Amino acid sequence: MPTLYHGTVIHSLSLTQLEVLPDALLCVSDREGIIEWLERGVEGSEIQEVAVRKGVILDDGVEVVVLGKGEVLCPGMIDTHTHAPQYPNNGLGQQYQLLEWLDKLTFPREAMFADVEYARRMYDQVVKRNLNAGTTTACYYGSLHDESTRVLADICDAKGQRAFVGKCCMDRNCPPTYTETTESCISSTKSWLSHFDKFTAPAPSSSTSGSSANQPPPLVQPILTPRFAISTTPEVLTFIGKLAHSRSPSIAIQTHLSENPAEVEFTKQLFPDCETYAGVYDKYDLLGPGTILAHCVHLDDKEREVISKRGAGISHCPTSNTHLNSGAADVGKMLRAGIKVGLGTDCSGGYALGILPSLRQAAGVSRFVSWSSAGSTASSPSSSDAQPLSLPQLFHMATLGGASLCRLESRIGNFLPGKEFDALRIKPASPGMWTDDKDTPEEVFEKWLFTGDDRDVADVWVRGRRVGGAA
């Protein structure tokens, strides 16, 4: 039997349109978590009448979830870039820049995940805490260890988090205690990939059967992960490009691009035949609609053009970029170039769990970018081309925009009928969130985005199944 949800629903329809529905009635199928229908403007006294009209009889088998005053139902958050082995390091390293941070803090921590039982304990907490923070979908970098990264995928599946899980490929310019040969990198990547054959999608309903293109993908999927160009040889980059395109649709790819000036210069030295950093990935056929490029702080116009042309997406990680002194990415230029953009926590380069801190930092960084453009000031932005990100843009990046990076925009990201119910029930509870009876739904929601935390996330659903929350 289906479940009905009644109350204030807020979701993104586009970069410029945030839809607020104070009295919405939403119907979710019990088997696949598919949103059957969404009715607007339904008073509480009309729930039964509307349900019957839609063919739903309110008996003991139908659950009706009624949101209280001041509560909001919104789509789950999508973290398009994070490192599962690095969460124990969150909060460390602000004195370093990227390459030194990797050597002194990050690689030693990731090397510890050779111990599978240690990995199991850490990853169990990573997935659990991310779900409770409202992250319903995560794009995880694992370590270079095949077995431990399999464990991460299994935990995501068991706990019900939608996830893309990647084993890092790192066969050069890494510490002797944390590296792999080209041969072992290729063989372990093939082995790791075979593990995902065990994950299956839910059985199709009559409404989705008949077209393989409409079948839902497994909850947990593989994502090929060349850590960045510095740590991967041309042989491995060639292998990954061919492997990605050996399936249809292609296997997703995630990597870093233009995070730090020293990284950019080192990459150009390693690949002197490529004019740009993005050109390296393009040369090896790694740019496409299924590619997620983290950071992209120091792009030039040619790079934005090729990223847009190939249909790749960018994960904006502002908390990490400021914490590691990497710079301020100009998201406005990315969006104007037609590039799809999502948000990433990049833990532990970013120091905070969950997407809310990244959304807030993205707002602040966009203001700094607009102020600094052409010598403008806070009271007089330079031009219409350098405006701070709006709230609809920020929430789009956290939800529907992130879904587009994962090639899941037709399945998740908002509450349009036919999509899967990945959702959060926001119930103000944290001490930093001040609400009163005079607040409009829009005001409650904005307050949560900028002052709330995981204590306000009462329930978390993925594919219609409750998987977390503070309630």
Side-chain angles (χ1 to χ4, degrees):
M1 299 296 289
T3 300
L4 300 182
Y5 298 85
H6 181 263
T8 298
V9 168
I10 299 179
H11 64 165
S12 174
L13 297 179
S14 71
L15 270 166
T16 58
Q17 189 174 3
L18 186 68
E19 186 174 38
V20 180
L21 305 172
D23 292 296
L25 185 62
L26 193 86
C27 179
V28 178
S29 69
D30 63 337
R31 186 166 146 190
E32 301 165 1
I34 300 295
I35 299 169
E36 300 282 355
W37 44 263
L38 171 64
E39 287 289 302
R40 297 160 172 81
V42 179
E43 299 289 340
S45 60
E46 300 173 320
I47 292 176
Q48 182 167 334
E49 175 188 346
V50 173
V52 170
R53 176 158 40 90
K54 288 289 187 176
V56 178
I57 305 301
L58 299 187
D59 56 23
D60 292 342
V62 177
E63 181 182 5
V64 181
V65 178
V66 178
L67 275 64
K69 184 173 179 60
E71 296 182 14
V72 172
L73 191 72
C74 73
M77 301 290 189
I78 300 175
D79 189 345
T80 57
H81 179 71
T82 194
H83 294 261
Q86 293 181 27
Y87 280 78
N89 279 359
N90 276 6
L92 302 177
Q94 63 178 327
Q95 69 270 37
Y96 300 122
Q97 292 205 15
L98 175 65
L99 299 182
E100 188 178 13
W101 171 82
L102 287 170
D103 288 336
K104 291 186 178 294
L105 290 176
T106 303
F107 288 155
R109 172 64 69 178
E110 290 191 13
M112 296 171 66
F113 284 74
D115 181 338
V116 177
E117 290 310 310
Y118 174 78
R120 193 182 309 277
R121 292 195 306 273
M122 292 299 105
Y123 287 155
D124 183 82
Q125 287 298 308
V126 167
V127 176
K128 177 182 177 180
R129 295 187 196 191
N130 267 312
L131 280 170
N132 287 335
T135 302
T136 51
T137 300
C139 297
Y140 287 120
Y141 284 57
S143 61
L144 61 74
H145 309 105
D146 176 11
E147 188 174 357
S148 292
T149 308
R150 292 176 183 229
V151 167
L152 173 60
D154 289 344
I155 290 172
C156 291
D157 186 62
K159 290 188 178 296
Q161 186 178 43
R162 195 182 298 272
F164 292 79
V165 177
K167 186 204 84 69
C168 276
C169 294
M170 307 163 49
D171 66 329
R172 67 168 169 178
N173 294 317
C174 299
T177 56
Y178 189 55
T179 190
E180 54 191 343
T181 66
T182 300
E183 293 74 19
S184 66
C185 177
I186 291 173
S187 64
S188 64
T189 299
K190 291 178 179 178
S191 172
W192 155 84
L193 184 60
S194 68
H195 184 70
F196 290 81
D197 294 338
K198 66 184 281 188
F199 300 121
T200 58
S205 67
S206 58
S207 63
T208 59
S209 61
S211 172
S212 59
N214 290 329
Q215 301 308 316
L219 200 66
V220 180
Q221 299 185 59
I223 185 165
L224 298 170
T225 307
R227 188 179 197 110
F228 57 172
I230 289 173
S231 70
T232 42
T233 59
E235 291 81 4
V236 167
L237 293 175
T238 299
F239 160 73
I240 292 174
K242 292 180 178 178
L243 182 60
H245 295 284
S246 67
R247 298 185 181 183
S248 181
S250 63
I251 305 170
I253 296 172
Q254 62 183 356
T255 191
H256 299 79
L257 174 64
S258 295
E259 180 177 357
N260 176 279
E263 168 213 6
V264 174
E265 289 308 309
F266 191 13
T267 301
K268 290 181 178 179
Q269 293 172 23
L270 292 172
F271 297 91
D273 57 327
C274 296
E275 183 180 355
T276 65
Y277 193 166
V280 174
Y281 295 139
D282 196 38
K283 174 182 177 179
Y284 293 98
D285 206 15
L286 301 180
L287 297 183
T291 303
I292 299 175
L293 302 166
H295 304 293
C296 298
V297 178
H298 305 285
L299 299 179
D300 62 25
D301 290 341
K302 288 184 178 179
E303 290 178 299
R304 279 185 287 270
E305 182 179 357
V306 73
I307 291 169
S308 177
K309 183 177 180 180
R310 301 289 184 254
I314 292 174
S315 177
H316 178 41
C317 305
T319 308
S320 173
N321 297 154
T322 53
H323 186 233
L324 296 182
N325 307 288
S326 295
D330 192 334
V331 174
K333 284 186 176 180
M334 299 173 190
L335 295 175
R336 290 191 294 276
I339 299 171
K340 51 192 181 183
V341 182
L343 289 175
T345 59
D346 191 33
C347 293
S348 64
Y351 49 78
L353 179 79
I355 286 296
L356 289 182
S358 296
L359 182 150
R360 296 163 187 168
Q361 193 83 340
V365 167
S366 74
R367 290 186 178 90
F368 295 137
V369 169
S370 70
W371 297 342
S372 63
S373 178
S376 61
T377 65
S379 60
S380 177
S382 61
S383 72
S384 60
D385 286 341
Q387 294 295 314
L389 294 170
S390 66
L391 191 145
Q393 288 175 317
L394 291 164
F395 191 65
H396 181 273
M397 290 161 59
T399 54
L400 188 58
S404 70
L405 265 67
C406 300
R407 294 182 293 186
L408 292 175
E409 68 273 22
S410 66
R411 299 201 175 276
I412 59 172
N414 59 23
F415 294 134
L416 295 183
K419 292 195 176 186
E420 298 174 23
F421 188 67
D422 288 12
L424 310 179
R425 179 180 185 172
I426 307 306
K427 183 178 182 180
S430 61
M433 189 173 174
W434 295 78
T435 61
D436 62 41
D437 291 342
K438 295 181 179 179
D439 287 339
T440 66
E442 294 93 332
E443 289 171 335
V444 171
F445 187 62
E446 185 173 1
K447 285 182 177 182
W448 176 67
L449 290 179
F450 287 92
T451 69
D453 59 36
D454 58 328
R455 287 167 287 189
D456 307 306
V457 182
D459 298 290
V460 180
W461 294 274
V462 173
R463 210 172 247 171
R465 169 191 167 197
R466 189 182 186 278
V467 294

